[in-house]
Amino acid sequence: MLFPNVMKGLMTIFVVGILAGSVLVKAQSVAGIVTDQFFNGIIGQSDPGCAGRNFYTRAAFLEALNSFPRFGTAVDTRREVAAFFAHVTHETGHFCYIEEIAGPSFPNSQYCDSINTQYPCNPNRSYYGRGPIQLSWNFNYGPAGQSIGFDGLNSPETVANDRVISFKTALWYWVNSVQPVIGQGFGATIRAINSIECNGGNPATVQARINYYTQYCSQLGVDPGPNLSC
């Protein structure tokens, strides 16, 4: 039989050990899910000549992740990782594209909301899609830059030149605009990223996103949940 003080000491060690282990597991959970094999399995499907193959890296993602501890805390972490990378895969063509296809050739007005005076456009800059989530429009570049620490309105090209900032913009958009609705199902995340695809707007792209999502869910061993479409 253990003496009360000895028993109390052992219990304290046991509880502290559990808590420390829980913090460690949580801190490593996303990195443990987004392994080299998982990340390289995505980028490895892009053409060898793609600019993104020399830009997007797992190390840059993990460095950017340090600034967004909320990522991976909604629903099942594996499900959130699957959803995030499903959209990234679709938006970048398996990490092939850094900038929107033909984006630089589009007139600036297409990505400048002049009504938004809080984040006024620089007439010499364009706010077309860049980065893993293809951040677009002045009203996203402005607050993303303020939050992350770059001049989104006057130097939007930073998103295509700095791989860590690039991933930070994707994670910034995710935790602010996508994560709040992920509990409603994957379909709600599609609407949060590109609502014009929903309600019959572009069934093919919606299905493509769903296919990536269910593929990654299967790969990570997690149920995709209900409400996959929008």
Side-chain angles (χ1 to χ4, degrees):
M1 179 178 180
L2 295 173
F3 291 105
N5 287 342
V6 176
M7 189 69 174
K8 182 178 180 181
L10 289 174
M11 286 299 294
T12 299
I13 294 172
F14 179 71
V15 171
V16 170
I18 289 177
L19 291 175
S22 297
V23 171
L24 182 61
V25 169
K26 182 176 180 180
Q28 293 179 337
S29 61
V30 174
I33 294 167
V34 185
T35 61
D36 283 324
Q37 181 180 8
F38 179 82
F39 192 94
N40 293 337
I42 298 173
I43 200 168
Q45 296 183 59
S46 62
D47 189 275
C50 289
R53 288 178 71 102
N54 296 316
F55 182 75
Y56 299 113
T57 66
R58 176 176 178 267
F61 167 73
L62 294 179
E63 185 176 343
L65 183 66
N66 290 330
S67 300
F68 296 91
R70 281 171 49 197
F71 181 82
T73 62
V75 296
D76 187 297
T77 302
R78 294 168 299 169
R79 187 182 290 178
E80 186 170 356
V81 166
F84 176 80
F85 280 95
H87 288 299
V88 168
T89 299
H90 178 76
E91 294 290 336
T92 64
H94 294 90
F95 287 124
C96 178
Y97 303 108
I98 303 171
E99 298 181 312
E100 182 178 347
I101 299 173
S105 66
F106 288 166
N108 182 65
S109 60
Q110 287 201 350
Y111 290 93
C112 173
D113 179 7
S114 58
I115 298 176
N116 191 304
T117 56
Q118 184 177 3
Y119 301 106
C121 302
N122 181 327
N124 297 315
R125 295 291 182 268
S126 295
Y127 306 100
Y128 53 79
R130 296 179 177 93
I133 214 75
Q134 294 289 284
L135 189 74
S136 305
W137 295 94
N138 55 304
F139 52 74
N140 284 319
Y141 273 93
Q146 289 179 350
S147 176
I148 295 167
F150 75 99
D151 193 343
L153 293 177
N154 295 311
S155 300
E157 64 276 4
T158 303
V159 181
N161 296 330
D162 187 310
R163 65 188 66 188
V164 175
I165 287 179
S166 196
F167 269 114
K168 282 185 177 182
T169 62
L171 291 166
W172 172 84
Y173 188 84
W174 185 270
V175 299
N176 286 287
S177 300
V178 185
Q179 192 183 62
V181 303
I182 196 171
Q184 300 171 26
F186 183 70
T189 71
I190 301 175
R191 189 177 299 278
I193 289 176
N194 198 342
S195 61
I196 63 174
E197 295 178 1
C198 297
N199 300 320
N202 196 331
T205 58
V206 168
Q207 191 58 52
R209 293 179 192 269
I210 294 172
N211 290 345
Y212 290 132
Y213 174 61
T214 54
Q215 174 190 335
Y216 296 154
C217 281
S218 176
Q219 189 174 335
L220 298 175
V222 63
D223 187 275
N227 306 321
L228 300 184
S229 187
C230 63

